[in-house]
């Protein structure tokens, strides 16, 4: 050991002013305890503050280095996370501490976890019931206990059992003494998600792979232990990607390494955990934000202590403190939910790549509609493409019908549903089958659409829809700032049906109730899923046929597997199609394909009806023909022409203030500063556009302006951009807020 120990720490406080390491001295008596990633208590100015150790030094950097005051026993951050958080903060323009916080346990503070008593039968089901019947007269509570245990697969916790039977401890103990039951103490962190979900454990049917799956599997296998580390499975919905994930996981676990399994929505963890617990009993952990604080902490601790071999979860799960990772699975890699919309605005895929490289592990991505970014990478060496073109068991893709809503309009049908969709719903219900009605997103009415001809005004320079603004009424491109007056007549067909467009799930639900008052419906959107456990309830209710129609936003489009759904109705494909975003076409194609993939998954077959005012659009046509390649070719062409990602990078800078003029002025000033400081960038095809009002111009009483960088290799200028903005924000006044998003997925 060295004589003196200096450390550098990041203070646990979100502020630009302290967004850099500070040096401290570790007193001798604390020296053994301080590790990289430790949480320490330090004096800072006149206060005491928590901080995280990010580096060691041999020498003091300044005179009079102060001593730390204490250290927490349990090092919270993996060494890996010290590096990861730094990289992340640089790439995604956040403060280091914000990135560190992503890697910390959910509750922040360390809590004690308790244990729970878990009762397991030592008899078979039949014998439990026999014994229960035999003692019913004499020992009623005891017989109830046995009966309850016979009804489940793998025992019950004593608190549960007590609630169900009203039995006292004495009854339990006499059953234990008779040798009929055993009681185990399980620490809460091991009392996992698995035990709460019914179903068999450890028994599953070994599927024999289809020819396509076999080929894909051979390739992926070579990656586990080989040179090729990144894979993209491009496989249509229902082609059996999951089976490949599970086999890869099995193989990696057999080699003694661990698996991170990411899905895009919390709702999907429920379905996946069912499959995982069958194959990997006792080795799971589940990490996502819809668990209680306590549950999350317990699961986190389970991972941290090395008790879990597979960690399943949504976006934040990528920061699970899992060691020795051999495989990272990223299902539906194209999904937007993988990008965090608040600071740090990271993309899970980038973090997954970082961690996979750190652990020298395989990254297995899968999608029916891969992102353009990832698909482009398969053209080089980095990512290996494997393709599944057929559904398993010869199931066919559903037939897709496009309904031209302009025609409905001409026929004076002003309702939510076309005649075709309504007729299909009636038929489906009469056969006792299920329907999913899908609305791309909740109401967002900021573009003008002509109901007569489907025309939408576009920016002549940027190929995105113009955004509709009120007071004063005008249309604007929020990329380049182009402005145009609003006309009452459609410029194309000269009729007066040019209106702003929007529709919400509640409205759809209301209309369904009007038409089919006796039919049970479930609505699934961010309102109805806010409560804990809501996802699971909706999923199981619909699965158990408690409702015939499920109405929802993109949440229901992803991954759900309900064989009884034979009709999918896409109520208004235009909503995403005309978002003022260069990815609008891609997003629409993805959503339509995913939604269509929800049907035709059983013997009953399935069909899809897409309602739209723009039936000629390539995204809609390609989705109807299930042709990712058609879509891809057209979209690549457009992106290349206008130099949009993946052929360039974008940095979105948002400047906001409660005062409109202030927001605009400071955006202008910031632009000037950036242009002055980044003179080099001017010559290398880097553009700085704006300021232009954001499509969502006013949020929470703040007016928002965008500056947009577009160019190749922008990461090269990140440091300079970052410093300029940080400096600027120190002088711009408190009410001005500036946020930076590298590679934004949504530009609203
Ligand atoms: P994807 O994720 O590609 O949409 P899934 O993995 O959900 O498709 O597979 C669809 C269904 O096909 C699942 O019910 C799965 O159990 C089943 N399946 C997958 N592979 C096979 C196979 N080789 N043989 C039979 N059934 C399979
Ligand atoms: Zn424009």
């Amino acid at each position: 050991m060295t004589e003196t120990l200096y450390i550098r720490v990041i203070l646990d406080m979100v502020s630009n002013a302290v967004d850099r390491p500070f040096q401290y001295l570790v007193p001798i008596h604390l020296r053994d305890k301080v590790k990289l990633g430790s949480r320490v208590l330090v004096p800072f100015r006149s206060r005491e503050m928590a901080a995280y150790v990010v580096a060691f030094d041999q020498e003091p950097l300044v005179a009079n280095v102060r001593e730390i005051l204490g250290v927490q026993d349990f090092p919270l951050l993996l060494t890996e996370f010290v590096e990861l958080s730094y990289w992340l903060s640089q790439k995604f323009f956040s403060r280091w501490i914000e990135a560190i916080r992503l890697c910390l346990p959910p509750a922040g503070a360390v809590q004690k976890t308790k244990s729970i008593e878990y009762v397991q039968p030592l008899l078979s089901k039949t014998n439990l019931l026999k014994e229960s019947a035999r003692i019913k007269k004499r020992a009623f509570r005891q017989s109830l206990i046995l009966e309850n245990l016979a009804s489940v697969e793998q025992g019950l916790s004593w608190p549960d059992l007590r609630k169900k039977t009203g039995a006292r401890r004495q009854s339990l103990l006499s059953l234990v003494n008779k040798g009929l039951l055993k009681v185990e103490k399980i620490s809460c962190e091991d009392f996992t998600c698995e035990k709460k979900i019914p179903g068999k454990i450890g028994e599953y049917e070994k599927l024999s792979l289809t020819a396509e799956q076999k080929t894909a599997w051979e390739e992926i296998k070579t990656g586990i232990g080989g040179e090729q580390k990144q894979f993209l499975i491009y496989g249509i919905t229902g082609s059996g990607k999951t089976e490949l994930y599970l086999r890869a996981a099995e193989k990696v676990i057999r080699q003694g390494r661990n698996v991170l399994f990411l899905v895009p929505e919390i709702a999907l963890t429920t379905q996946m955990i069912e499959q995982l617990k069958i194959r990997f009993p006792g080795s799971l952990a589940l990490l996502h934000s819809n668990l209680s604080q306590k549950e999350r902490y317990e699961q986190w601790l389970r991972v941290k202590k090395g008790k879990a071999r597979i960690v399943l979860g949504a976006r934040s799960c990528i920061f699970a403190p899992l060691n020795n990772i051999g495989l990272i699975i990223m299902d539906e890699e194209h999904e937007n939910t993988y990008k965090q919309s608040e600071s740090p605005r990271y993309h899970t895929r980038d973090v997954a790549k970082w961690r996979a490289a750190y652990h020298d592990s395989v990254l297995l991505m899968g999608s029916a509609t891969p992102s353009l970014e990832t698909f482009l990478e398969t053209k080089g060496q980095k990512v290996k493409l494997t393709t599944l073109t057929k559904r398993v068991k010869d199931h066919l893709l559903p037939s897709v019908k496009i309904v031209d809503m302009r025609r409905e309009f001409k026929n004076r049908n002003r309702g939510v549903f076309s005649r075709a969709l309504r007729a299909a719903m009636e038929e489906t219900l009469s056969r006792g089958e299920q329907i999913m009605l899908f609305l791309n997103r909740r109401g967002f009415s900021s573009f003008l659409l002509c109901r007569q001809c489907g025309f939408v005004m576009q920016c002549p320079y940027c190929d995105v829809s113009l955004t509709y603004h009120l007071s004063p009424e005008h249309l604007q491109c929020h990329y380049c700032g182009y402005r145009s007056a609003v006309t009452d007549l459609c410029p194309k067909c000269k009729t007066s049906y040019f209106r702003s467009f929007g529709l919400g799930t509640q409205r759809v639900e209301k209309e369904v109730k009007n038409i089919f008052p006796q039919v049970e419906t479930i609505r699934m959107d961010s309102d109805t899923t806010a409560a804990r456990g809501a996802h699971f309830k909706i999923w199981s209710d619909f699965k158990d046929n408690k409702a015939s129609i499920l109405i929802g936003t993109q949440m229901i489009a992803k991954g759900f597997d309900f064989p009884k759904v034979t009709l999918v109705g896409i109520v208004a494909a235009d909503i995403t199609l005309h978002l003022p975003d260069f990815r609008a076409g891609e997003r629409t194609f993805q959503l339509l394909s995913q939604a269509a993939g929800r049907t035709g998954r059983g013997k009953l077959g399935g069909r899809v009806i897409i309602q739209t005012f723009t039936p000629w659009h390539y995204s809609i046509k390609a989705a109807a023909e299930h042709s990712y390649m058609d879509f891809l070719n057209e979209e690549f062409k457009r992106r290349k022409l206008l130099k949009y990602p993946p052929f360039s990078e974008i940095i979105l800078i948002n400047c906001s203030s409660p005062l409109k003029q202030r927001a605009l002025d400071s955006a202008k000033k910031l632009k000037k500063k950036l242009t002055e400081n980044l003179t080099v960038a001017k010559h290398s095809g880097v553009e700085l556009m704006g300021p232009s009002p954001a499509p969502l111009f006013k949020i929470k009483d703040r007016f928002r302006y965008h500056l947009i960088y577009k160019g190749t290799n922008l990461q090269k200028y990140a440091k300079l951009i970052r410093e300029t903005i940080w400096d600027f924000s120190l002088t711009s006044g408190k009410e001005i807020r500036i946020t930076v998003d590298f590679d934004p997925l949504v530009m609203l």
Side-chain angles (χ1 to χ4, degrees):
M1 277 237 92
T2 47
E3 292 299 300
T4 39
L5 183 61
Y6 295 96
I7 54 172
R8 265 182 264 178
V9 304
I10 291 290
L11 295 175
D12 194 6
M13 176 170 125
V14 179
S15 149
N16 287 348
V18 298
D19 185 29
R20 64 190 171 85
F22 291 89
Q23 196 182 40
Y24 286 89
L25 181 64
V26 182
I28 291 174
H29 69 282
L30 293 178
R31 208 152 287 177
D32 290 340
K33 284 189 173 175
V34 174
K35 309 250 158 42
L36 205 61
S38 290
R39 186 178 159 95
V40 291
L41 194 64
V42 299
F44 186 73
R45 301 202 179 117
S46 56
R47 298 162 56 188
E48 289 176 9
M49 289 193 65
Y52 296 92
V53 180
V54 296
F56 294 106
D57 289 320
Q58 302 289 334
E59 305 284 332
L61 301 172
V62 288
N64 304 323
V65 182
R66 298 171 79 179
E67 280 192 357
I68 64 166
L69 306 168
V71 55
Q72 198 166 68
D73 277 335
F74 188 56
L76 284 170
L77 280 180
L78 299 179
T79 311
E80 178 191 355
F81 287 162
V82 174
E83 276 176 57
L84 173 64
S85 58
Y86 178 71
W87 165 83
L88 193 143
S89 69
Q90 295 301 304
K91 179 161 173 104
F92 295 102
F93 291 86
S94 82
R95 297 167 194 101
W96 195 348
I97 188 63
E98 291 175 293
I100 287 176
R101 285 182 181 178
L102 291 172
C103 309
L104 294 174
V110 177
Q111 310 165 351
K112 272 224 160 71
T113 57
K114 296 194 203 92
S115 61
I116 196 162
E117 284 182 318
Y118 202 72
V119 184
Q120 275 164 310
L122 297 169
L123 302 179
S124 72
K125 263 189 192 179
T126 358
N127 287 338
L128 281 175
L129 289 174
K130 260 193 214 155
E131 182 63 18
S132 162
R134 203 177 64 80
I135 60 173
K136 196 153 211 146
K137 289 245 168 68
R138 272 186 295 124
F140 180 63
R141 300 286 175 199
Q142 289 185 33
S143 88
L144 274 186
I145 292 180
L146 296 179
E147 205 178 295
N148 268 286
L149 286 169
S151 70
V152 295
E153 289 293 335
Q154 19 144 8
L156 285 165
S157 76
W158 170 234
D160 273 357
L161 206 51
R162 197 175 47 211
K163 245 185 255 153
K164 285 188 170 150
T165 59
R168 300 210 179 167
R169 200 168 181 81
Q170 195 49 46
S171 310
L172 179 72
L173 291 181
S174 49
L175 287 167
V176 171
N177 287 338
K178 285 187 222 164
L180 303 178
L181 310 177
K182 66 172 180 182
V183 179
E184 263 182 309
K185 272 207 171 164
I186 305 182
S187 85
C188 280
E189 67 205 53
D190 292 334
F191 184 76
T192 56
C193 42
E194 293 178 39
K195 298 226 161 66
K196 294 185 182 163
I197 294 178
K200 289 199 187 71
I201 271 193
E203 288 169 37
Y204 64 97
E205 190 192 347
K206 268 249 187 291
L207 297 170
S208 52
L209 297 181
T210 64
E212 284 187 332
Q213 279 174 324
K214 226 176 247 162
T215 315
W217 176 229
E218 288 305 322
E219 278 178 323
I220 295 164
K221 237 177 9 189
T222 60
I224 305 172
E227 285 296 302
Q228 182 67 46
K229 287 298 177 200
Q230 298 184 18
F231 294 86
L232 170 67
I233 309 174
Y234 155 48
I236 62 167
T237 53
S239 60
K241 295 185 285 294
T242 312
E243 181 63 25
L244 294 173
Y245 300 150
L246 295 174
R247 290 211 179 190
E250 241 162 19
K251 189 163 172 71
V252 165
I253 285 186
R254 236 180 285 130
Q255 291 176 344
R257 303 186 73 192
N258 300 324
V259 180
L260 258 183
F261 197 147
L262 307 166
V263 291
E265 290 276 343
I266 293 167
L268 293 176
T269 56
T270 315
Q271 186 170 296
M272 201 54 84
I273 205 120
E274 264 208 332
Q275 301 200 41
L276 289 177
K277 70 175 257 196
I278 294 174
R279 297 212 198 194
F280 310 103
S283 345
L284 298 180
L286 180 65
L287 270 179
H288 61 65
S289 53
N290 201 238
L291 301 171
S292 74
Q293 196 91 318
K294 187 161 153 283
E295 281 173 321
R296 263 164 82 187
Y297 182 67
E298 282 159 9
Q299 293 292 307
W300 185 89
L301 205 60
R302 186 174 150 75
V303 179
K304 174 93 187 182
K305 288 185 178 169
K307 290 182 177 179
R309 307 293 309 278
I310 299 194
V311 188
L312 174 72
R315 184 175 60 227
S316 61
C317 179
I318 191 61
F319 299 104
L322 189 66
N323 258 315
N324 192 16
I325 298 173
L327 171 69
I328 302 177
I329 299 165
M330 198 171 162
D331 191 21
E332 315 279 5
E333 67 80 32
H334 65 277
E335 283 293 348
N336 267 2
T337 45
Y338 279 127
K339 167 99 177 171
Q340 169 137 309
S341 56
E342 287 133 38
S343 186
R345 296 175 171 78
Y346 67 89
H347 196 298
T348 308
R349 196 195 298 120
D350 295 306
V351 184
K353 284 182 178 172
W354 194 97
R355 292 199 78 184
Y358 185 92
H359 291 272
D360 194 27
S361 58
V362 169
L363 173 62
L364 184 54
M365 299 175 277
S367 172
T369 54
S371 65
L372 268 68
E373 282 75 8
T374 304
F375 205 89
L376 188 65
E377 281 193 306
T378 65
K379 302 197 185 251
Q381 301 293 313
K382 259 241 147 111
V383 182
K384 171 94 187 145
L385 176 69
T386 82
T387 311
L388 304 175
T389 60
K390 296 191 198 75
R391 282 190 160 180
V392 293
K393 298 187 223 157
D394 299 322
H395 289 157
L396 295 177
L397 283 165
S399 68
V400 181
K401 183 180 162 68
I402 299 177
V403 175
D404 186 343
M405 292 306 276
R406 296 171 305 172
R407 224 178 269 152
E408 297 296 313
F409 190 77
K410 277 176 202 146
N411 282 303
R412 301 186 182 284
N413 176 7
R414 309 270 149 111
V416 170
F417 301 116
S418 60
R419 290 158 298 171
L421 181 52
R422 195 174 156 157
M425 286 167 73
E426 277 162 15
E427 268 170 49
T428 309
L429 291 171
S430 72
R431 282 198 302 268
E433 293 161 7
Q434 288 178 306
I435 301 171
M436 282 166 95
L437 291 179
F438 172 66
L439 202 69
N440 309 29
R441 53 173 285 131
R442 297 205 297 158
F444 178 80
S445 63
S446 71
F447 61 95
L448 294 186
L449 175 128
C450 174
R451 280 154 211 247
Q452 186 76 16
C453 75
F455 181 78
V456 171
M457 289 268 262
Q458 301 270 321
C459 172
Y461 308 107
C462 302
D463 198 27
V464 297
S465 303
L466 293 176
T467 301
Y468 176 70
H469 289 273
L470 278 167
S471 69
E473 202 180 35
H474 68 282
L475 293 168
Q476 190 151 34
C477 170
H478 85 111
Y479 280 39
C480 70
Y482 169 85
R483 230 176 127 116
S484 143
V486 174
T487 60
D488 290 333
L489 293 185
C490 167
K492 197 168 157 220
C493 73
K494 316 288 184 222
T495 58
S496 59
Y497 298 111
F498 213 36
R499 302 265 164 73
S500 66
F501 188 80
L503 190 62
T505 41
Q506 295 187 12
R507 166 88 198 282
V508 175
E509 185 181 40
K510 211 168 134 203
E511 187 118 345
V512 170
K513 292 236 150 97
N514 279 340
I515 306 174
F516 307 106
Q518 75 291 2
V519 171
E520 285 297 323
T521 61
I522 301 178
R523 182 161 59 87
M524 186 173 199
D525 54 30
S526 46
D527 291 336
T528 63
T529 54
R532 202 176 309 129
H535 290 106
F536 180 70
K537 179 148 175 31
I538 291 176
W539 178 78
S540 61
D541 281 357
F542 196 58
K543 194 174 173 162
D544 297 344
N545 228 347
K546 287 190 186 150
S548 303
I549 304 181
L550 179 62
I551 302 160
T553 54
Q554 35 263 55
M555 271 181 211
I556 68 170
K558 288 170 209 162
F560 274 148
D561 197 350
F562 299 116
K564 276 194 83 177
V565 172
T566 57
L567 173 65
V568 167
I570 288 144
V571 180
D574 305 85
I575 297 180
T576 38
L577 196 55
H578 302 302
L579 286 178
D581 192 323
F582 71 88
R583 284 197 179 85
E586 182 181 15
R587 189 129 320 127
T588 305
F589 178 79
Q590 288 166 350
L591 289 172
L592 295 181
S593 306
Q594 293 292 332
R598 292 316 107 217
T599 182
R601 296 175 82 87
K603 290 186 202 78
L604 300 170
R607 61 175 156 167
V608 179
I609 292 179
I610 300 177
Q611 302 193 144
T612 175
F613 284 93
T614 26
W616 64 85
H617 194 281
Y618 65 96
S619 292
I620 291 180
K621 273 165 62 187
E625 280 156 27
H626 306 293
S627 178
Y628 175 71
M629 285 304 167
D630 281 357
F631 163 75
L632 194 75
N633 290 332
E634 182 63 34
E635 189 72 16
F636 266 150
K637 238 189 306 180
R638 287 162 180 259
R639 299 271 183 99
K640 223 177 206 158
L641 194 70
L642 287 154
K643 294 204 190 67
Y644 283 130
F647 302 102
S648 70
E649 289 161 326
I650 283 183
I651 297 175
L652 176 66
I653 301 165
N654 183 306
C655 222
S656 72
S657 159
L659 300 170
K660 193 152 78 182
Q661 197 56 42
R662 275 280 180 74
L664 179 60
D665 288 346
S666 59
K668 280 181 182 161
K669 265 190 227 150
L670 177 58
K671 180 173 184 172
K672 193 161 165 275
K673 277 260 155 49
L674 285 166
T675 320
E676 282 165 12
N677 287 3
L678 272 77
T679 46
V680 272
K682 263 194 224 142
H683 307 293
S684 42
V686 176
E687 270 180 90
L688 177 56
M689 298 182 285
S692 54
L696 297 176
F697 186 39
K698 197 175 169 193
I699 295 180
K700 292 186 186 148
D701 283 331
R702 302 183 72 86
F703 294 91
R704 307 162 72 241
Y705 282 89
H706 280 170
L707 292 173
I708 298 171
Y709 265 115
K710 188 169 93 174
T712 47
N713 250 327
L714 280 185
Q715 193 71 58
K716 210 164 66 186
Y717 309 110
K719 195 161 183 286
L720 211 52
I721 295 175
R722 180 195 182 88
E723 280 164 7
T724 308
I725 293 175
W726 264 212
D727 278 351
F728 180 78
S729 67
L730 289 179
T731 59
S732 63
K734 268 217 157 77
E735 83 287 356
I736 303 287
R737 211 174 287 155
I738 300 169
T739 63
V740 188
D741 192 350
F742 178 76
D743 252 351
L745 281 192
V746 184
M747 311 211 7
L748 301 177

